[in-house]
Amino acid sequence: MSSRTLEQDVCADTRATWQKLLERIPYARRLGLAIHQSGTGMEVHLPYRDALIGNIMLPALHGGAIGGLIEITARVAAQSRDAQARRPRILDCNVDYLRSARARPTYAAAEIFRQGRRTALVHVSCWQDRASTPVAHGRVQLLFETAPGGKIREEQ
Amino acid sequence: MAGTGNLADHDPVAVARQFGEQVPHSSDLGMEVLAMEADQVRMRLEPGPALHADDAAEELCTSVLYSLVDSACGLAVFAALRELKPIATLDLRMDYLRPAGSERALVATARCHHLTDDVAFVRCEVSSEEEDGPVAIGNATFMRGTQSKRVATKASRGDTV
């Protein structure tokens, strides 16, 4: 087995992990999100549907559809990196809209800026045509609750 | 914040509701406009299993709150402008204070607290229906007049940046 194949196997495992984490989020299923593997890592894809439109004149995707893509991408990225795969709670999310998102598929990739025992800081970039011309950029803070009896369940 | 703009000539709630229902994403998630007055808008979202945060948690996904806040904030700008002029979200920040239980509807109250010639600043609180205290707070900034043809009507106020 060549090292390239080994690398692909590792990536496949990561993709499977991300997909599994995504599939247990009912709202992610509602949005139709799916994990794709790119040359640089995992991507979350938001397929286009008419029900995602927020501005029928342009037309443009609803800011909330982009916000949801960003939040869920951050959550799956942070959870996939946690040793116990605990489900993080999103504390805050800040999205900058850079250009209007058209009636097309949208892609998101996460960059973990900090992953600690209790919190994670994840930046997410969203694009449609090219990753170099993002439609939105998000910054998400997540909390891994450690105290027993906390409100956040740890299912795994 | 008196004024007789286009929206005030009609029943503003009816206009807002009609406009809100034309937004596919808002209607897809089941949002409804409860009230619209001066610079404030109140919207409601009925919970459903497809909006949950996790298969194993009786909790609404934060992204549902995000969409509700984005919609309510946009409508609050229209309420303050008294016109359905094009606007674009510059940024939106959400603080999720505590999980939103999936058994209760969400109610969002958005208020455009400052308006300049170019920008609208909006704050929105989300609470679970019949519960005290917000579950989330959003702050949004919108650009005004984002499409090239600016409608010729005069702004009814003289705010400057």
Side-chain angles (χ1 to χ4, degrees):
Chain A
M1 186 184 284
S2 74
S3 65
R4 188 165 175 276
T5 311
L6 190 64
E7 200 171 69
Q8 283 173 335
D9 286 348
V10 171
C11 286
D13 284 349
T14 310
R15 201 202 75 81
T17 304
W18 278 56
Q19 186 69 41
K20 203 173 129 220
L21 293 173
L22 189 73
E23 277 168 4
R24 56 183 302 159
I25 306 173
Y27 189 61
R29 299 198 295 265
R30 167 72 174 260
L31 289 174
L33 300 185
I35 305 296
H36 287 251
Q37 188 186 314
S38 78
T40 51
M42 296 302 134
E43 290 174 0
V44 181
H45 286 199
L46 172 67
Y48 173 73
R49 283 188 300 134
D50 289 342
L52 297 177
I53 290 292
N55 181 326
I56 49 178
M57 300 305 290
L58 288 174
L61 296 187
H62 195 280
I66 299 295
L69 174 63
I70 286 173
E71 285 192 346
I72 291 169
T73 301
R75 175 179 152 185
V76 170
Q79 189 167 7
S80 72
R81 283 275 205 96
D82 187 66
Q84 291 113 48
R86 293 171 296 171
R87 177 164 74 87
R89 173 185 156 196
I90 296 177
L91 285 180
D92 62 61
C93 173
N94 201 142
V95 176
D96 293 310
Y97 293 94
L98 306 170
R99 45 177 66 78
S100 74
R102 302 299 174 147
R104 288 202 280 274
T106 311
Y107 311 98
E111 187 179 351
I112 297 183
F113 267 58
R114 180 182 182 276
Q115 179 112 20
R117 199 173 57 83
R118 297 185 64 198
T119 63
L121 169 64
V122 185
H123 285 212
V124 179
S125 185
C126 291
W127 70 94
Q128 293 189 315
D129 301 325
R130 286 179 303 279
S132 56
T133 54
V135 295
H137 184 265
R139 189 197 56 79
V140 185
Q141 289 275 10
L142 305 101
L143 174 75
F144 295 100
E145 204 135 34
T146 50
K151 283 187 180 159
I152 302 297
R153 299 172 192 205
E154 296 171 19
E155 290 91 9
Q156 296 187 10
Chain B
M1 205 150 295
T4 50
N6 292 353
L7 287 185
D9 295 340
H10 308 91
D11 174 10
V13 179
V15 173
R17 183 168 290 138
Q18 193 183 16
F19 179 74
E21 281 168 5
Q22 283 176 354
V23 176
H25 183 60
S26 305
S27 63
D28 183 54
L29 293 184
M31 296 180 204
E32 54 176 323
V33 179
L34 296 178
M36 182 174 182
E37 59 199 35
D39 50 4
Q40 190 165 297
V41 165
R42 187 179 289 259
M43 289 182 83
R44 184 179 183 277
L45 188 149
E46 188 71 33
L51 309 182
H52 287 196
D54 196 280
D55 281 331
E58 299 296 313
E59 187 184 316
L60 292 175
C61 187
T62 57
S63 305
V64 175
L65 282 70
Y66 188 108
S67 283
L68 178 63
V69 167
D70 195 18
S71 294
C73 286
L75 270 186
V77 177
F78 292 135
L81 293 175
R82 322 295 296 170
E83 282 174 329
L84 295 174
K85 275 185 176 180
I87 56 170
T89 319
L90 269 183
D91 62 63
L92 170 57
R93 179 197 164 92
M94 291 292 295
D95 286 303
Y96 299 108
L97 310 181
R98 56 192 170 91
S102 57
E103 73 285 0
R104 290 185 188 276
L106 297 170
V107 177
T109 307
R111 184 173 165 266
C112 179
H113 59 83
H114 192 72
L115 200 57
T116 74
D117 287 346
D118 296 315
V119 182
F121 298 90
V122 189
R123 180 181 163 88
C124 182
E125 278 197 10
V126 185
S127 54
S128 293
E129 203 166 52
E130 294 168 10
E131 268 185 19
D132 289 332
V135 292
I137 293 171
N139 282 284
T141 310
F142 292 86
M143 255 342 255
R144 294 177 56 185
T146 46
Q147 276 164 349
S148 51
K149 10 181 206 311
R150 248 194 139 137
V151 187
T153 51
K154 251 176 77 233
S156 58
R157 66 195 76 221
D159 298 3
T160 51
V161 180

